Amino acid sequence: MIPRRKKRLTWVISLIAGVAVAVSLILYALNQNIDLFYTPSEVLAGKGKDLTRPQVGQRIRVGGMVVEDSVRRDPQTLQVHFRVTDTGPEMTVLYTGILPDLFREGQGIVAQGILIEPDVLQATEVLAKHDEEYMPPELAEAMKGIKHVNPNAPDAYSEPAGDGDKQ
Amino acid sequence: MWRWLHPYAKGEASYRLLGRWLPWLTGSAVLTMMVGLIWGLFYAPPDYQQGDSYRIIYIHVPAAIFSMGTYTAMAIAALIALVWQIRTAEWAIAAIAPVGAVLTFIALFTGAVWGKPMWGTWWEWDARLTSQLILLFLYLGVIALYHAFSDSRTGAKAAGILALVGVVNVPIIHYSVYWWNTLHQGATITKFEKPSMATSMLIPLLICLLGFALMTAAFICQRLRNEILRQELHRDWAQQELN
């Protein structure tokens, strides 16, 4: 390679390396702020090395799995409350409004709202998360024992709430 | 080792080579896209959770993957343009950028349309969505810089530097769903383990991926031919080509 090109190549590579280092330092420093949500154990036990916990009254997002048999609905209004967990402790989420189609027990959700007690979130928005697995309903039933719920069926969500009310 | 490449530094040779590839690329792209999309949208089984709504994956995932793939290709062209100062590589930046920008837009748009019924929101500022939006801005920046100077070589140099620096964003997009917690799902197929997708759904997706790759290549071929012709208008071969 002729020296002029070698010099230019060195410049270009050091430019990319410099930017890559700068960006990784920025992202590392912002690490906790880039997370979309707190998990329930981070809300209750603290997050990161210094175990910072969100304050009561703070506006946060909480993400976790909806605990089985924890969904309770008010039959008269759109009020609903349920518990979320990530393997560890559980939190209660209160919400008034229409839940997304994918919302069901055992499903991952992200709720945004105000922490009104250390473990209670008054949500203004509930979003459903889904994982990266895709399979036909028959296969899901055979492999995971999941009963297929057609999200388009009108009675798709009354069932888990109905189960919850009986207990 | 690279001696066979040398003739293609000349506009005319590249123009003829691309012209030979173009009909094959276009034909196979149309064919595989039709097979993949019809199979995916009409014949693949519905998903156990998302029902028929998941079918947008057959457009969303190929567009998203190749929005990053074309960016990488553009960055390689920029590297060649900056270090070896080959004009064909400079024109390749201009040819690739709009195609990549459209793919990025398709990925963002289909993602929003998919997000509304499934997640319950069109947009959320999570790491994956935000870094993909930055990719769109990078593409737009490269296009703008390329045309911002009256001297096209200066423009190509400026656009090339931005394209190269922006390549840092590509791994961030890919790993965003692992490094941070996001609303967006993790990787289904672009990982080293077995894809988390049933074979009956995976095969049409792979065909769609191939179709999008061929279509992207065909568009870039055509755009690069146009750019070569536009830049070499004053030369005899270009005049003969046009008459």
Side-chain angles (χ1 to χ4, degrees), chain A residues 5 8 12 16 27 31 34-37 61 107 127-130 132-137 140 144 148 151, chain B residues 46-50 79 82-84 114 119 124 164 172 180-183 185-188 196-198 201:
Chain A
R5 283 182 191 157
R8 284 200 295 258
V12 165
I16 300 175
L27 292 180
N31 206 359
I34 298 173
D35 282 331
L36 185 70
F37 50 82
R61 288 197 198 89
Q107 185 77 32
L127 303 176
K129 225 170 114 75
H130 60 80
E132 64 274 21
E133 291 194 2
Y134 292 88
M135 58 182 92
K144 304 169 108 183
H148 174 58
Chain B
D47 179 53
Y48 77 111
Q49 276 199 322
Q50 304 187 36
L79 179 77
L82 285 175
V83 176
W84 284 271
W114 194 2
W119 299 339
E124 191 66 53
L164 263 179
I172 295 177
W180 304 289
N181 57 39
T182 55
L183 186 60
Q185 60 159 83
T188 297
S196 336
M197 196 177 203
M201 300 165 155

Side-chain angles (χ1 to χ4, degrees), chain A residues 56-118:
Chain A
V56 170
Q58 200 177 328
R59 189 174 177 77
I60 59 166
R61 288 197 198 89
V62 174
M65 292 287 179
V66 180
V67 179
E68 298 280 341
D69 292 330
S70 75
V71 182
R72 297 286 182 280
R73 279 164 206 262
D74 183 341
Q76 306 303 324
T77 66
L78 286 174
Q79 274 178 25
V80 58
H81 62 94
F82 51 88
R83 291 197 308 278
V84 289
T85 182
D86 58 323
T87 69
E90 295 179 0
M91 278 188 69
T92 304
V93 176
L94 314 173
Y95 180 63
T96 306
I98 297 166
L99 292 163
D101 281 3
L102 268 185
F103 181 91
R104 54 192 77 140
E105 293 178 347
Q107 185 77 32
I109 60 111
V110 177
Q112 186 179 44
I114 290 165
L115 203 61
I116 52 173
E117 276 170 52

